Every structure is written in C-alpha cells, then in structure tokens.
Amino acid sequence: MSAERHTLTRLRAWPLLAGLLLASGLALLFGIAVGSTGLTLAWQDLDDMQRQILWEIRLPRSTGAWLAGALLGLSGAITQGLFRNPLADPYLLGSAAGARLGVALSLSLLGTTPAGMQWLQRLGLTGAAFLGTLMGVSLALAMARGLEHTLRLLLAGVVVGVVLGAVTDLVTLADPDILRTMQAFVLGTTSFLGWPAITLMALVLMLSLAVALGASEALDALTLGEATAQSLGVRLGLVRLVLIIAFALATGTAVAQTGMIAFVGLVAPHLVRNLCHGSHRQLLLLSACAGGLLLLAADILSRWLLAPQELPVGVITAILGGGYLLRLMHKRKQVRSA
C-alpha cells in the first residue's frame, strides 16, 4: 500500500471510529432510558426506587451489553484475519460448544444437591462457561496437533463443536430439569449483568485488544499468504498461539457473561470492511466498537419491542445479522450477474 493510499484509509478510518463511539454514547443514553415502563426522560424528577433502577440495573446492563459486543466483534476480527476467512466467527474452535457443555454439566452435576448448590454458587455459571470455553479450544488445538496447519485447525474446531454439542444434548436429555436454564443461556441474555461483570469484561477487552494490536502487522502479512508472511519474518506458530489465546479469552468472557449471542462477531467485521478498507490495526479497533454498538442496539430493541416483556437478545442479533448477510449475498450475486 502506498503512503498516499495509507493516508487516505487513515482519514476514512478515524472519522468512522469517532462516529461509532458517538453512536455508542447515544445508544448508551437511550439504553439507560428504556425500561419495562417505556422511556424515562425526566431523570431529575425520579424517586429513590427509580434512580436505583436507572443506575444499578439499566446502566450496568447497557454498559455490559456494549462491552460483550465489543469482545465478540474483536474476536471475530481476530478470527477472520487469522484464518483468512471472512465467514469465520468467534465460536469457530469449539469455544461456544465447550461453554454450553460446561453450563450443562455444572447444572446437572452440581445443581441438584445442597452441597452441589454451594459449589455452583462459588463457581457460578459464568465460571463454568468460561472453563468450558477453554476446554473446547484446548481440545481443538490438541486434535490439530499444533498450530502449523490452518486447515487442520478449522476442521478440528468443527469436529470438537459437533462432538461437544452432542454430549451437551445427551446431558440435557438425561436431566430435563436444566432445559429451561440452558435455553436462556443458548438464546443469550444481558439481564443479569452487574458492575463486577463490567469490570471483568473491561479488563479482558483492554488486554485482548492490546495483544491483537501488537500482532496486527502479522495479520497484515498473513493476508499475502503464509509463505509470504514467513518470508517477511513472521513467526506463524507464535502468532497463532498468541491470537488464539486472545480471542479465546475474549470469547469465553463474553459467552460466560451473556450466553451464546449469535452473529455479532461475524457481522461486525463485515460491516467495518464494507465501510472502510484499512489495516488490521484499524479493523480491530473498528470491529470492537461496531460489535459493541450492534449488541447494545439489539439489547435496546429486545426491551422495547414487546415491553414490558423482553425478547431474548440472541434472537434479535440472529434476525438482524442473518438479514444483513442474506442482503450482502444477494447484492454480490447481482453484481456478478451484471
């Protein structure tokens, strides 16, 4: 890329970043105002109960939704860059299937006895989901026998996802009492986000983003092919290991706090690439902001559409994300046939 073109992409990227941050701030204010009773605009005339709902329920929920979406958007950008596949998503290496199995096992084995309930309260479903995510990614890496072959990693992730999904279904069939809780986890929810979860997600986001930005030049080199990247001095094994750890940590944290929310990690990098063609350093930052905005907007819609009832936020993201991808495919088909 020439210096002039690089300057042009920077001029396009930073205004887009500012726009996403501004839209996120406005969406956060709107998220604080939207509740089961509709819009709350006159914040100065609230009683103590309403203020508590505003600052202890709506604010952490909206902030947590943005952070979880940012983690998924960042993970999607890392995954698509690492595997050079625009259809790769953060759940690729068995992370989502492992998280689902971890929750199912914890509910089935620990949730039926008093002692088990004590352990479950200490570990928490979020801890079980995070451990399950690490287990799924570790199994995929073990099956791939290392990090040298990208295709082998992809196939191992698909196999691990299918196998762990089947085991989860068996656990659910053996213990039908956990089905309702499992359904809430699979559909995704932001209802239980609090300040401790926000602190954790913010720390993980900063750590994962720092690691990804540090490896952004290696991701740029990978777009030219693995052989070319190696000739440029990129240590592919180390880069893959570091980036897999980064997106597994980000994905596991988001899934542990909000459940399996679909399409955010897949659609956010697509949106960014359609709006701005830049380096991976820009793509990573923009994808995180776009993912946060997408999930926050979906959370607001889930509360607002059928108020006082709520729709699962994962259903909203699936409808919006699936509709966007179908429109994109149809548009590309029209361009090819023209």
Side-chain angles (χ1 to χ4, degrees):
M1 178 182 293
S2 65
E4 182 181 358
R5 186 179 176 187
H6 182 69
T7 303
L8 288 174
T9 56
R10 286 189 62 185
L11 290 174
R12 292 174 58 191
W14 301 129
L16 178 58
L17 178 62
L20 288 172
L21 291 175
L22 177 61
S24 297
L26 294 175
L28 181 61
L29 292 176
F30 196 69
I32 298 172
V34 172
S36 59
T37 58
L39 285 172
T40 304
L41 297 178
W43 294 350
Q44 295 180 349
D45 300 330
L46 301 177
D47 56 29
D48 292 338
M49 177 78 68
Q50 290 172 323
R51 286 196 185 93
Q52 186 176 7
I53 292 174
L54 213 66
W55 302 113
E56 297 299 327
I57 297 178
R58 294 185 191 174
L59 179 59
R61 174 173 180 170
S62 299
T63 306
W66 191 93
L67 287 171
L71 287 169
L72 292 174
L74 175 63
S75 300
I78 295 174
T79 309
Q80 292 176 15
L82 182 61
F83 294 106
R84 293 178 294 153
N85 187 344
L87 294 180
D89 71 351
Y91 302 152
L92 190 63
L93 293 185
S95 56
R100 186 168 167 241
L101 178 58
V103 170
L105 287 175
S106 63
L107 288 172
S108 181
L109 299 178
L110 302 178
T112 56
T113 64
M117 287 300 295
Q118 292 180 0
W119 277 104
L120 188 59
Q121 290 176 357
R122 293 178 185 177
L123 177 63
L125 292 181
T126 57
F130 185 75
L131 292 177
T133 298
L134 296 182
M135 177 191 67
V137 174
S138 299
L139 283 176
L141 293 177
M143 286 188 61
R145 297 179 182 178
L147 303 164
E148 290 79 12
H149 301 287
T150 302
L151 182 59
R152 187 183 294 173
L153 271 173
L154 291 172
L155 293 176
V158 172
V159 172
V160 168
V162 172
V163 172
L164 294 186
V167 174
T168 303
D169 292 337
L170 290 176
V171 172
T172 306
L173 287 173
D175 191 357
D177 294 336
I178 69 174
L179 186 59
R180 187 168 185 177
T181 305
M182 285 298 302
Q183 184 180 24
F185 178 79
V186 170
L187 292 177
T189 180
T190 56
S191 302
F192 306 109
L193 291 174
W195 294 116
I198 289 173
T199 303
L200 176 62
M201 287 191 290
L203 291 174
V204 172
L205 178 61
M206 288 188 291
L207 177 61
S208 302
L209 186 58
V211 172
L213 291 177
S216 60
E217 292 184 358
L219 289 174
D220 289 336
L222 272 174
T223 59
L224 303 174
E226 294 184 1
T228 304
Q230 284 182 325
S231 68
L232 293 174
V234 176
R235 300 171 62 183
L236 291 181
L238 179 61
V239 168
R240 284 196 184 103
L241 178 61
V242 169
L243 289 177
I244 286 174
I245 292 174
F247 89 72
L249 179 62
T251 303
T253 303
V255 170
Q257 300 297 331
T258 60
M260 294 172 55
I261 295 176
F263 279 105
V264 173
L266 177 61
V267 169
H270 270 276
L271 281 171
V272 170
R273 278 194 294 268
N274 285 337
L275 294 173
C276 174
H277 298 282
S279 66
H280 272 89
R281 179 178 294 272
Q282 297 162 347
L283 176 63
L284 293 167
L285 283 170
L286 292 170
S287 295
C289 293
L293 180 59
L294 284 174
L295 186 52
L296 177 54
D299 179 60
I300 294 172
L301 286 175
S302 71
R303 287 182 270 162
W304 187 38
L305 287 176
L306 296 180
Q309 296 181 346
E310 288 189 16
L311 289 171
V313 68
V315 173
I316 302 295
T317 59
I319 293 174
L320 295 178
Y324 168 76
L325 291 178
L326 287 174
R327 179 180 175 276
L328 187 63
M329 292 172 60
H330 180 67
K331 185 177 180 180
R332 289 186 177 180
K333 184 178 179 180
Q334 286 182 333
V335 171
R336 290 179 181 178
S337 60

